[in-house]
Amino acid sequence: MGRFDGVLLASDFDNTLIYTEEAMLRGEPIPPLPERNRQALTYFMAEGGRFAISTGRALAAFEKYAPLVPMNAPGVICNGATLYDFTKQEYLFSALLDEHARQRGQLVLDRFPEAAVEAYHIDNVIHAVHPNEITRHHEHLTKVAVTEAPSLLEVPLPLGKLLFEASHQELEEIQAFLKAQGWGEDYELIFSGQNLLEMTAKGANKGGMVRRLAEYLHIGLDHVYCVGDEANDLPMLTLAAEGFAPANCIPAVRDSGAAIVCHARDGALADVVEILEQKYR
């Protein structure tokens, strides 16, 4: 019996597991996993713990980094739209957008012509409609080229999520517009950055898919712990028995009651494992 048998730890990738922001802004390769994190996660898994990544990135934008991450559980991908088994290289669960999402997303683009949208196809292709400077910047950061389409209506199904890209003020207006149509009941509308608004199926957020992962692994929620730094991490932080956040987290995460650990660049996951070590003696 290991110390962490029956414990699930799920972590965001960017600016939580690895501090990627500065490198991506400079157009440099992302830094390696902090050695503190590597040693702590190797120890956590050797003692029976299950470690999973939980990222807003599409599979296309994350799979090249997957070999950098010591993990022994399927990962939450596409902000909670899918659960992917990296060992088997297959999707285990998907919560896809409904058939109305393209039409409704196109109405947003027609009403807000300065906005762009990335449409994440389940077959690892990212389409872009009305790409703007934010799209190009995001494309540069993720190192994944988008396939342009003249209209969302011409983007093939099935889709895991739509990612609207505009100024924060305009995204707030887009969020309000979608809710005013009554569509807020059909979708999750969550900011993953100042210029990024995620639209996924209702319940398809990091919290919903971490719950599904825990069920798949037969682990109770009282032994699930999550770590994240952004607004799209809040659903899993509040689901967890205890949520943690690196010191570089946004104010909304800090105000959520998450336990604050060190900055991501200093090995935030190692701090979390040390705390869990005190819980599971």
Side-chain angles (χ1 to χ4, degrees):
M1 293 288 290
R3 180 191 294 260
F4 299 119
D5 282 349
V7 177
L8 171 63
L9 175 60
S11 173
D12 176 46
F13 180 68
D14 291 284
N15 304 318
T16 300
L17 182 65
I18 299 177
Y19 190 64
T20 60
E21 184 166 344
E22 292 172 352
M24 291 195 298
L25 288 175
R26 292 193 296 262
E28 300 173 354
I30 70 167
L33 179 71
E35 187 58 28
R36 284 191 71 222
N37 283 349
R38 181 176 303 282
Q39 292 180 10
L41 292 175
T42 300
Y43 163 67
F44 176 79
M45 293 187 295
E47 288 290 326
R50 305 298 296 270
F51 178 69
I53 203 71
S54 182
T55 179
R57 288 177 179 246
L59 180 60
F62 178 72
E63 61 182 353
K64 70 185 73 174
Y65 302 115
L68 303 177
V69 181
M71 52 186 171
N72 60 354
V76 176
I77 304 296
C78 210
N79 207 42
T82 60
L83 186 64
Y84 187 79
D85 189 318
F86 290 95
T87 301
K88 298 179 180 178
Q89 296 188 323
E90 64 182 25
Y91 290 104
L92 299 179
F93 303 105
S94 297
L96 303 176
L97 287 168
D98 62 28
E99 60 184 12
H100 305 296
R102 289 182 304 175
Q103 181 181 10
R104 293 169 176 179
Q106 187 59 47
L107 288 174
V108 169
L109 295 179
D110 294 341
R111 186 179 180 91
F112 301 91
E114 299 301 313
V117 69
E118 292 182 26
Y120 287 58
H121 192 273
I122 198 67
D123 284 339
N124 226 10
V125 179
I126 302 174
H127 295 82
V129 182
H130 296 179
N132 57 22
E133 290 184 4
I134 300 170
T135 311
R136 296 310 178 197
H137 180 63
H138 193 237
E139 190 178 30
H140 175 71
L141 295 184
T142 61
K143 302 295 189 295
V144 177
V146 299
T147 300
E148 293 189 35
S151 165
L152 261 180
L153 301 180
E154 297 186 32
V155 172
L157 296 173
L159 297 177
K161 76 173 180 179
L162 298 181
L163 179 64
F164 294 102
E165 299 163 323
S167 70
H168 189 72
Q169 179 178 346
E170 190 163 31
L171 290 180
E172 288 182 326
E173 294 174 3
I174 289 172
Q175 185 184 52
F177 170 75
L178 289 166
K179 290 181 177 180
Q181 312 311 307
W183 300 334
E185 300 300 315
D186 299 328
Y187 308 109
E188 302 288 337
L189 301 168
I190 300 175
F191 284 94
S192 56
Q194 283 292 304
N195 303 115
L196 305 173
L197 177 64
E198 313 254 354
M199 175 176 161
T200 56
K202 197 67 177 180
N205 55 47
K206 289 188 179 185
M209 201 54 81
V210 167
R211 179 189 293 273
R212 179 68 67 90
L213 173 60
E215 292 172 353
Y216 178 78
L217 297 174
H218 305 291
I219 294 174
L221 291 180
D222 53 338
H223 297 293
V224 173
Y225 301 90
C226 298
V227 197
D229 72 301
E230 263 289 353
N232 62 323
D233 296 310
L234 288 170
M236 71 173 181
L237 294 177
T238 55
L239 168 84
E242 186 170 4
F244 299 89
N248 52 280
C249 67
I250 65 169
V253 170
R254 188 177 293 270
D255 294 342
S256 73
I260 306 300
V261 293
C262 71
H263 194 286
R265 68 165 68 91
D266 298 322
L269 266 292
D271 278 7
V272 173
V273 171
E274 288 175 2
I275 293 170
L276 295 182
E277 192 174 25
Q278 299 304 308
K279 290 179 176 288
Y280 295 90
R281 298 193 180 198

PDB file of all heavy atoms in Angstrom, residues 120 142 194 228:
ATOM      1  N   TYR A 120     -12.461  24.197 -32.329  1.00  0.00           N
ATOM      2  CA  TYR A 120     -11.611  23.040 -32.045  1.00  0.00           C
ATOM      3  C   TYR A 120     -12.318  21.752 -32.462  1.00  0.00           C
ATOM      4  O   TYR A 120     -13.223  21.275 -31.775  1.00  0.00           O
ATOM      5  CB  TYR A 120     -11.279  23.006 -30.558  1.00  0.00           C
ATOM      6  CG  TYR A 120     -10.274  24.065 -30.129  1.00  0.00           C
ATOM      7  CD1 TYR A 120     -10.518  25.413 -30.329  1.00  0.00           C
ATOM      8  CD2 TYR A 120      -9.074  23.696 -29.524  1.00  0.00           C
ATOM      9  CE1 TYR A 120      -9.598  26.377 -29.944  1.00  0.00           C
ATOM     10  CE2 TYR A 120      -8.143  24.647 -29.135  1.00  0.00           C
ATOM     11  CZ  TYR A 120      -8.421  25.985 -29.351  1.00  0.00           C
ATOM     12  OH  TYR A 120      -7.505  26.936 -28.980  1.00  0.00           O
ATOM     13  N   THR A 142       1.027  28.818 -29.157  1.00  0.00           N
ATOM     14  CA  THR A 142       0.773  27.382 -29.075  1.00  0.00           C
ATOM     15  C   THR A 142       1.569  26.582 -30.089  1.00  0.00           C
ATOM     16  O   THR A 142       1.665  25.359 -29.972  1.00  0.00           O
ATOM     17  CB  THR A 142      -0.722  27.081 -29.283  1.00  0.00           C
ATOM     18  OG1 THR A 142      -1.126  27.521 -30.590  1.00  0.00           O
ATOM     19  CG2 THR A 142      -1.570  27.788 -28.232  1.00  0.00           C
ATOM     20  N   GLN A 194      -7.352  37.204 -20.609  1.00  0.00           N
ATOM     21  CA  GLN A 194      -7.983  38.503 -20.827  1.00  0.00           C
ATOM     22  C   GLN A 194      -8.626  38.608 -22.204  1.00  0.00           C
ATOM     23  O   GLN A 194      -9.652  39.266 -22.366  1.00  0.00           O
ATOM     24  CB  GLN A 194      -6.937  39.615 -20.664  1.00  0.00           C
ATOM     25  CG  GLN A 194      -6.583  39.922 -19.227  1.00  0.00           C
ATOM     26  CD  GLN A 194      -7.738  40.560 -18.475  1.00  0.00           C
ATOM     27  OE1 GLN A 194      -8.276  41.584 -18.889  1.00  0.00           O
ATOM     28  NE2 GLN A 194      -8.127  39.956 -17.371  1.00  0.00           N
ATOM     29  N   GLY A 228      -4.512  25.181 -10.127  1.00  0.00           N
ATOM     30  CA  GLY A 228      -4.667  26.015 -11.315  1.00  0.00           C
ATOM     31  C   GLY A 228      -4.523  27.482 -11.003  1.00  0.00           C
ATOM     32  O   GLY A 228      -4.567  27.890  -9.839  1.00  0.00           O
TER      33      GLY A 228
END
